[in-house]
Amino acid sequence: MAKLLTEMLKGTLEGIVLAHLAGRPAYGYEITARLREQGFADIAEGTVYALLTRLEKRGLVDTEKVPSESGPPRKVHALNTEGLRYLDEFWDTWGFLAERLEELRGAGAGGGVRAGEGTGGA
């Protein structure tokens, strides 16, 4: 499951991070810690920092250096208007995909039997 989760996260991590920033601005380590608390235990800090840099270059987040009591200034990222628009599109797309996948699962397209459950047939 870990490999499949990693592959699926590649396409969704951007939206997940933007969703976190929709709640309030945050710096990279803070976002990583929140993701880990929510069960994304294998998320590497470097992955989040690289993603934040890409989001900044694409104009989806604004950044500000904020003094830190425990070290160098922190780069705090905030969702801007373009990022909010992108996040809305992400949620619309996610909803579309989730509905289609649930339909497939309900139709028995390979999702009706989970690993280890067997078919019960003789």
Side-chain angles (χ1 to χ4, degrees):
M1 181 174 131
K3 185 174 181 178
L4 182 58
L5 179 61
T6 299
E7 290 300 317
M8 293 178 86
L9 272 175
K10 286 180 183 174
T12 56
L13 190 57
E14 211 174 73
I16 292 168
V17 168
L18 289 174
H20 274 277
L21 293 174
R24 65 180 171 92
Y27 53 96
Y29 178 79
E30 186 179 15
I31 293 169
T32 304
R34 280 197 255 159
L35 290 171
R36 288 177 178 162
E37 286 172 10
Q38 293 180 326
F40 299 106
D42 293 335
I43 296 280
E45 258 182 86
T47 300
V48 173
Y49 285 116
L51 177 71
L52 287 168
T53 299
R54 284 196 309 271
L55 293 173
E56 184 181 358
K57 285 182 179 175
R58 291 175 54 200
L60 300 176
V61 297
D62 295 328
T63 61
E64 177 184 6
K65 288 204 173 186
V66 176
S68 169
E69 294 176 7
S70 60
R74 292 178 172 156
K75 195 171 182 181
V76 175
H77 304 269
L79 193 65
N80 61 25
T81 304
E82 192 61 33
L84 187 57
R85 195 173 303 133
Y86 183 86
L87 181 59
D88 286 344
E89 185 180 336
F90 171 83
W91 286 129
D92 287 346
T93 304
W94 178 261
F96 171 81
L97 288 173
E99 283 179 24
R100 300 294 86 74
L101 290 170
E102 284 301 321
E103 286 173 9
L104 282 171
R105 186 192 325 198
V113 178
R114 295 191 173 132
E117 289 181 348
T119 57

